């Protein structure tokens, strides 16, 4: 039989595929019409921000002192990640088109499956003994908590996100003060739940991202509205923190001190407002930037953002290997930071992700997250699309 050339999809590429063809296919995948490059860029920035928060010596942020501005990554990078996770969830669930009742069971099954894999992967990473708070167990729980909100309208989701953001910090301040957390079972629960990113508060960021995805973030009008709303919230939260004269919250701080603060990772009310607004504004800036020629300059960051799970896990694995070889332990954060690992690991990660994205395609962990279950048809005859661009 005569040989017939058939177009290859990114998922069907192998070592026999010509290099030029692989590059062309993957270049097209990164710039496909149904992809949102600004989300990839935002996720790439969040990845680098989390690297910086882990690997750099950072002084507390003082907005009037440019020498402390590296402190912007503290807390805000992870909140940006959580908000982007909600955006990815919304895009995967249909974007501006809400899933039909017939589509929801298959969609929820896929998300439960991915949540389980994320939680298991997070527990494995915790076992490395690296002295950072692994976010993956918390992510897994947040995705599960978001499932009931998938069929809601954008306004409904955003209202719920705002309500939780305003009320949950009160509950969180009370729960964190319980002496149970100092017991062995309390420490184990915090470890398994990723309580440094407490889901009662952090679900507000995920739902905010989900609501934004439902408004169709591809539209210029939506992106400009996000920018205005994000800046307003950031000014409100950080402004109230500044005029209140709040400082670092002590471990035994009073209820009001724990609640009324924008300190990173405090889950205080002002952090939720200020850093939540910062995340929304950052996403909108990335979306707007990718409407300009900056879309080409930012390709390495976008490639990294197209496989954030792979980039995040790879950085932690490299950390464990390098620390074990050079220091004999993975648990000495100060000693590892003193080796100045940020730029080598960051450049290596961005370079590796860019080469992988252009020559191979989707990140290996992103591919594993969607290997099962396979595409399912709904009773209406339609199938849930397997979004190649923005998976949680």
């Amino acid at each position: 039989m005569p040989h017939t050339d058939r177009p290859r999809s990114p998922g069907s590429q192998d070592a026999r595929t010509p290099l030029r063809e692989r590059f062309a296919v993957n270049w097209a995948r990164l710039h496909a019409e149904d992809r949102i490059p600004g989300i990839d860029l935002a996720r790439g920035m969040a990845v680098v921000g989390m690297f910086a928060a882990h690997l750099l010596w950072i002084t507390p942020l003082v907005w009037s002192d440019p020498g402390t501005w590296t402190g912007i990554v503290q807390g805000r990078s992870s909140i940006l990640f959580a908000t982007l996770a909600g955006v990815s969830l919304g895009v995967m669930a249909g974007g501006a088109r809400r899933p039909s009742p017939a589509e929801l069971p298959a969609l929820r099954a896929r998300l439960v499956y991915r949540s389980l894999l994320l939680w298991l992967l997070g527990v494995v990473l915790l076992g490395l003994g690296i002295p950072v708070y692994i976010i993956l167990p918390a992510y897994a729980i947040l995705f599960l908590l978001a499932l009931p909100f998938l069929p809601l309208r954008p306004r409904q989701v955003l209202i719920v996100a705002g309500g939780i953001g305003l009320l949950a910090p009160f509950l969180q301040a009370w729960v964190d003060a319980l002496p149970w957390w100092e017991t062995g079972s309390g420490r184990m629960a915090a470890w398994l739940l990723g309580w440094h990113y407490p889901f009662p508060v952090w679900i507000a960021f995920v739902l905010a991202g989900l609501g934004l995805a439902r408004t169709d973030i591809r539209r210029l009008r939506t992106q400009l509205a996000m920018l205005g709303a994000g800046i307003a919230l950031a000014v409100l939260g950080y402004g109230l923190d500044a005029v209140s004269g709040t400082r670092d919250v002590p471990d035994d701080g009073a209820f009001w001190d724990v609640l009324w603060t924008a300190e990173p990772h405090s889950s205080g009310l002002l952090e939720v407002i200020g850093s939540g607004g910062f995340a929304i504004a950052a996403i909108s800036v990335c979306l707007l930037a990718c409407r300009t020629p900056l879309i080409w300059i930012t390709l390495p960051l976008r490639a990294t953002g197209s496989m954030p799970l792979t980039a995040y896990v790879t950085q932690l694995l490299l950390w464990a290997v390098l620390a074990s070889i050079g220091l004999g332990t993975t648990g000495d954060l100060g000693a590892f930071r003193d080796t100045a690992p940020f730029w080598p690991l960051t450049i290596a990660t961005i370079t590796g992700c860019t080469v992988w994205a252009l020559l191979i395609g989707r990140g290996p962990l992103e591919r594993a997250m969607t290997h099962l279950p396979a595409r399912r048809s709904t009773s209406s005859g339609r199938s849930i699309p397997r979004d190649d661009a923005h998976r949680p």
Side-chain angles (χ1 to χ4, degrees):
M1 294 179 64
H3 174 71
T4 301
D5 290 330
R6 295 181 180 179
R8 296 176 183 265
S9 65
S12 66
Q13 296 176 73
D14 55 38
R16 295 170 296 178
T17 306
L19 185 64
R20 181 180 299 179
E21 182 179 341
R22 277 187 280 166
F23 181 90
V25 169
N26 289 309
W27 178 271
R29 182 185 65 87
L30 286 173
H31 301 92
E33 184 178 350
D34 59 351
R35 195 176 192 94
I36 309 177
I39 298 303
D40 283 338
L41 175 58
R43 290 193 302 197
M45 292 180 61
V47 167
V48 174
M50 292 190 79
F51 285 10
H54 290 164
L55 301 173
L56 291 176
W57 286 110
I58 296 175
T59 55
L61 175 64
V62 178
W63 293 104
S64 59
D65 182 4
T68 68
W69 284 0
T70 54
I72 202 169
V73 301
Q74 290 282 33
R76 296 169 187 84
S77 297
S78 49
I79 288 176
L80 175 58
F81 244 137
T83 308
L84 286 164
V87 174
S88 298
L89 185 64
V91 172
M92 188 188 70
R97 182 191 70 81
R98 291 180 294 147
S100 68
E103 293 172 320
L104 283 172
L107 177 60
R108 286 171 172 160
R110 287 168 55 193
L111 289 170
V112 169
Y113 166 79
R114 294 176 191 181
S115 296
L116 176 61
L117 290 185
L118 279 176
W119 186 84
L120 291 173
L121 181 57
V123 170
V124 170
L125 293 175
L126 286 167
L128 296 176
I130 297 173
V132 297
Y133 295 103
I134 306 298
I135 201 170
L136 297 186
Y139 264 25
I141 295 170
L142 290 169
F143 290 144
L144 292 177
L145 292 177
L147 294 181
F149 301 95
L150 292 178
L152 297 186
R153 298 179 183 277
R155 184 184 298 272
Q156 294 172 317
V157 180
L158 291 173
I159 289 175
V160 172
I164 292 175
L166 292 175
L167 298 177
F170 290 86
L171 173 65
Q172 188 66 37
W174 176 77
V175 170
D176 280 342
L178 296 176
W180 177 75
W181 294 107
E182 300 303 319
T183 66
S185 57
R187 293 190 187 95
M188 178 60 68
W191 189 74
L192 294 175
L193 297 175
W195 194 251
H196 191 66
Y197 312 97
F199 58 80
V201 173
W202 280 59
I203 187 61
F205 304 130
V206 175
L207 293 181
L210 174 61
L212 292 174
R214 286 277 179 259
T215 63
D216 192 0
I217 57 175
R218 292 179 172 86
R219 295 191 308 166
L220 176 60
R221 180 178 178 181
T222 300
Q223 294 167 8
L224 292 174
M226 288 171 56
L227 180 62
I231 291 175
L233 288 171
V235 169
L236 176 63
Y238 298 142
L240 288 175
D241 183 65
V243 299
S244 300
T246 54
R247 296 293 183 267
D248 292 347
V249 179
D251 292 338
D252 59 348
F255 178 87
W256 185 255
D257 292 330
V258 175
L259 172 69
W260 195 257
T261 180
E263 181 188 356
H265 296 296
S266 66
S267 293
L269 179 62
L270 301 185
E271 185 196 22
V272 172
I273 296 173
S275 296
F278 174 88
I280 293 171
I283 294 170
S284 67
V285 168
C286 291
L287 290 167
L288 291 168
C290 287
R291 288 178 169 271
T292 73
L294 288 174
I295 189 174
W296 311 114
I297 300 173
T298 58
L299 175 63
L301 277 176
R302 290 192 291 114
T304 303
S306 73
M307 52 184 82
L309 181 60
T310 295
Y312 178 79
V313 172
T314 299
Q315 180 242 334
L316 295 177
L317 292 176
L318 288 174
W319 180 340
V321 170
L322 294 175
S324 297
I325 295 174
L327 304 174
T329 177
T330 61
D332 193 334
L333 178 60
F336 189 67
R337 283 179 174 173
D338 285 340
T339 65
F342 171 70
W343 284 112
L345 283 179
T346 300
I347 293 172
T349 300
I350 293 176
T351 302
C353 288
T354 303
V355 172
W356 186 286
L358 291 175
L359 299 185
I360 299 177
R362 290 166 50 199
L365 290 180
E366 284 72 17
R367 187 184 299 273
M369 282 288 149
T370 53
H371 184 68
L372 290 173
R375 182 194 300 244
R376 301 183 182 205
S377 295
T378 68
S379 59
S380 65
R382 296 159 65 185
S383 62
I384 301 294
R386 297 186 63 157
D387 172 44
D388 181 55
H390 305 294
R391 295 181 177 85

